Amino acid sequence: MTDAAAPLLNPGTAWFLLVAFSGLWIALGLWWGRRGAGDADDYLLAGRNIGLALSTATLMASWVTGNTTLAAPEVGYTLGLWGMLGYSLAGLGLFLFAPLAVRIKRLMPRARTSGDFVRLRYGRLCWGIFLVITMAYTLGFLITQGMGAGLVLQALSGFDYRLGMVAVIAVSTTYTLVGGMRAVVGTDFIQSLLIMALLALVAVLGYSRFSVDAVYTALASDHPSRLNLLLPTGLLFAWNTGLFSMGEVFHNNIWWSRVFASRSSVVFRSFVLGGLAWTAVPIVTGAIALMALAQQLEIPQVNMVFPIVTAQLLGSGGAAVVFVIIFASLTSTLDSLLAASADLIAEDVVAHWLLPKATDAQIRQAARLVVVGLGLLTIALSWQYLTSMYQLLLFTGALVASTIWPIAMGLYWPQANRHGASAAMVAGSITGLLTYWLIAPYCAALVSAAVSAVVMGLSSHMRPERFDWRLLAER
Amino acid sequence: MPIPLPPWFASTPAQPPSQWLLPAPLFRLLLLGGLVGLVLATLVIVAIWLVEWRRGQVW
């Protein structure tokens, strides 16, 4: 059995993989960074003309985070079927955003960020509230990826927590800085293919040694709750996951920037295809975790079930494959977060607030500074490992769920009221946070979304606005 | 995606009063379907990229 304290991968191999893939991502970032027109639109949105393959792959890679490769197997292991299926429901966020993405692309041909939409649709007060919410979420997301990087590399290869954390953040920051969105989208393409192909390889090799039927028989005999379709905790998890993913995708500039960066003709298909491709990942990784239950492998840390099972089944080669999958997952998510946040701050805070007359070159320079600043901030905030990563995400979930209905209604309903949108975000966030503290953290997103929907719907019904959609064509 | 996990995940779920176990053929379909889906998705993205690359439409 695996010793929990011993790294799964030989340190020499781990160092080789770290240096090789870090060098590859940075070299590709430099190469792609030299392409294009060199203006702010090119740096922030890769020239607004990316095709279906890159658009789909970047959505897929950004959505496969370190959590997907570690937490999805964990929920498969602990909840069984509903863990896998529930986690895969997070693909709903991408599916449901597909029609919105088409409308955004049509209504806002010159926009750069989700903040542009909120500012033009609801005015500056709502825009300010939205910026606070989205930046709080983004910072929480960045910290969880940074801490996750340190923890996983430590467990996999024995690296010091801070070394792994700094390495992953530094690599992502470097190639995002030099290549902008082109580097992010280009590396995302390779990272997503690596993740998908290697996950499929691990699953095929795993099931060639321990058949699906043998797993089913062992589960039905020893762990029937894992096959139970009426498991209440599993149903609750699935419901929460769908809602959380909608809140994340509808508001976050990661997804809006992909809409603006993609060609109009591919936007809808890329979100549908990206969602479909992503949906398979939690099922495959969860299924690998089920092998651990069926084989009665000792799992000292349940969130490390995927690396442990893979190393047990496939030896050191399996551990190396897991290292590459997780390194690609973490860097592909961090680069997207850094680029989308730089886009948001350079466009919304610098160009529309601090320096209204900022030139194209100044916006591009501001974005570069933000990438570096956010990278350093993430390192600083992840320096001490907090045991409350889970709490941090639930906390931010209470905030982002309040933006779902103001965004969705604002895109389709001309009567959606700007004061109602501000009130919905504030009321949803406050009640969500109160629920987090006073009732249960896990109900926070649900209450936040529900209150926000009621406030938005009632206020817009009582004092309807007549919004002119043509105003969204400005920037 | 960063899905928060509830604290009760640390423990094995309690046996619920009612059970409806997924039949073996559907279990096989789910697991193999997920795997086939992942492989297909990979091949489809590569195929789309090839077509776009030949037409000069990647970027």
Side-chain angles (χ1 to χ4, degrees):
Chain A
M1 291 293 134
T2 304
D3 179 355
L8 301 170
L9 189 61
N10 176 288
T13 311
W15 269 110
F16 171 76
L17 291 172
L18 179 68
V19 172
F21 279 96
S22 299
L24 180 64
W25 301 153
I26 291 170
L28 288 171
L30 274 169
W31 183 52
W32 275 310
R34 287 179 186 155
R35 298 170 59 111
D39 55 12
D41 253 4
D42 204 81
Y43 188 78
L44 300 174
L45 298 170
R48 295 183 188 264
N49 198 39
I50 62 175
L52 183 58
L54 295 191
S55 183
T56 304
T58 190
L59 291 172
M60 161 81 191
S62 302
W63 210 216
V64 177
T65 67
N67 299 50
T68 316
T69 46
L70 295 173
E74 180 182 342
V75 291
Y77 184 83
T78 50
L79 289 182
L81 284 177
W82 271 119
M84 299 156 54
L85 290 171
Y87 211 109
S88 70
L89 279 181
L92 266 182
L94 293 179
F95 287 127
L96 294 176
F97 196 63
L100 275 69
V102 175
R103 188 161 172 82
I104 291 165
K105 191 78 179 168
R106 188 157 50 82
L107 290 174
M108 307 182 70
R110 298 173 59 211
R112 285 179 176 153
T113 69
S114 51
D116 280 340
F117 168 74
V118 177
R119 179 175 48 81
L120 293 168
R121 179 68 181 82
Y122 292 131
R124 287 191 168 247
L125 173 65
C126 190
W127 176 58
I129 296 166
F130 175 81
L131 284 182
V132 170
I133 290 175
T134 194
M135 288 316 297
Y137 176 75
T138 300
L139 212 53
F141 197 171
L142 277 167
I143 294 168
T144 59
Q145 296 305 296
M147 290 195 296
L151 282 179
V152 172
L153 296 198
Q154 185 178 41
L156 268 178
S157 45
F159 287 170
D160 177 67
Y161 163 77
R162 285 173 186 157
L163 171 68
M165 181 267 292
V166 171
V168 171
I169 296 172
V171 169
S172 306
T173 304
T174 304
Y175 71 77
T176 306
L177 171 70
V178 295
M181 186 60 91
R182 277 187 189 274
V184 171
V185 170
T187 50
D188 276 358
F189 177 70
I190 297 172
Q191 286 156 350
S192 67
L193 291 180
L194 258 181
I195 293 166
M196 291 193 287
L198 292 178
L199 275 179
L201 177 72
V202 169
V204 167
L205 290 174
Y207 278 109
S208 68
R209 298 185 186 188
F210 203 65
S211 73
V212 175
D213 291 336
V215 171
Y216 183 87
T217 307
L219 289 177
S221 157
D222 301 332
H223 307 280
S225 67
R226 305 307 202 278
L227 296 173
N228 185 10
L229 291 171
L230 300 178
L231 190 71
T233 48
L235 291 164
L236 178 64
F237 172 70
W239 172 252
N240 182 75
T241 303
L243 200 63
F244 191 91
S245 74
M246 280 175 65
E248 148 72 24
V249 175
F250 280 34
H251 96 282
N252 198 289
N253 197 48
I254 288 182
W255 317 104
W256 285 70
S257 64
R258 294 326 191 260
V259 175
F260 298 129
S262 302
R263 266 201 296 278
S264 300
S265 58
V266 308
V267 166
F268 184 83
R269 283 177 292 160
S270 67
F271 272 87
V272 172
L273 268 176
L276 273 174
W278 188 89
T279 299
V281 174
I283 293 176
V284 170
T285 53
I288 292 167
L290 291 181
M291 290 182 206
L293 278 172
Q295 287 201 309
Q296 299 188 331
L297 296 179
E298 186 186 330
I299 307 294
Q301 270 180 283
V302 74
N303 61 353
M304 290 296 289
V305 62
F306 175 58
I308 291 171
V309 173
T310 309
Q312 289 270 359
L313 289 172
L314 308 177
S316 57
V321 167
V322 170
F323 186 98
V324 175
I325 291 173
I326 292 176
F327 189 66
S329 307
L330 288 165
T331 47
S332 65
T333 301
L334 274 165
D335 65 10
S336 296
L337 272 167
L338 289 169
S341 307
D343 186 3
L344 190 72
I345 294 173
E347 172 74 5
D348 286 76
V349 178
V350 176
H352 286 290
W353 186 19
L354 299 178
L355 293 171
K357 292 179 181 173
T359 61
D360 193 80
Q362 283 175 315
I363 294 173
R364 185 185 158 120
Q365 186 59 22
R368 284 171 172 270
L369 289 173
V370 173
V371 169
V372 176
L374 273 179
L376 292 173
L377 185 63
T378 308
I379 289 175
L381 294 174
S382 310
W383 195 252
Q384 294 294 336
Y385 171 64
L386 303 173
T387 53
S388 57
M389 281 168 65
Y390 150 71
Q391 296 295 336
L392 188 64
L393 285 173
L394 285 181
F395 183 87
T396 53
L399 301 176
V400 299
S402 73
T403 64
I404 297 174
W405 294 108
I407 297 276
M409 289 183 186
L411 270 169
Y412 286 99
W413 195 23
Q415 287 90 341
N417 180 310
R418 61 190 56 216
H419 301 300
S422 299
M425 288 187 198
V426 171
S429 297
I430 290 174
T431 51
L433 291 175
L434 286 174
T435 306
Y436 173 92
W437 280 308
L438 301 176
I439 301 173
Y442 210 52
C443 301
L446 183 61
V447 171
S448 170
V451 169
S452 165
V454 170
V455 172
M456 187 74 208
L458 279 179
S459 63
S460 300
H461 181 71
M462 289 162 67
R463 301 191 109 181
E465 194 169 306
R466 290 281 167 200
F467 185 74
D468 180 358
W469 297 115
R470 287 172 297 186
L471 292 175
L472 289 178
E474 296 173 11
R475 211 201 86 214
Chain B
M1 72 161 300
I3 294 178
L5 305 179
W8 31 259
F9 273 23
S11 58
T12 306
Q15 202 71 3
S18 54
Q19 285 205 56
W20 179 26
L21 298 193
L22 185 76
L26 288 181
F27 181 77
R28 199 179 305 122
L29 181 69
L30 175 69
L31 265 57
L32 295 180
L35 182 56
V36 170
L38 191 63
V39 173
L40 268 180
T42 313
L43 295 175
V44 165
I45 291 175
V46 172
I48 294 169
W49 178 82
L50 266 174
V51 170
E52 288 186 334
W53 180 66
R54 284 185 180 172
R55 293 177 182 171
Q57 295 176 337
V58 172
W59 292 97

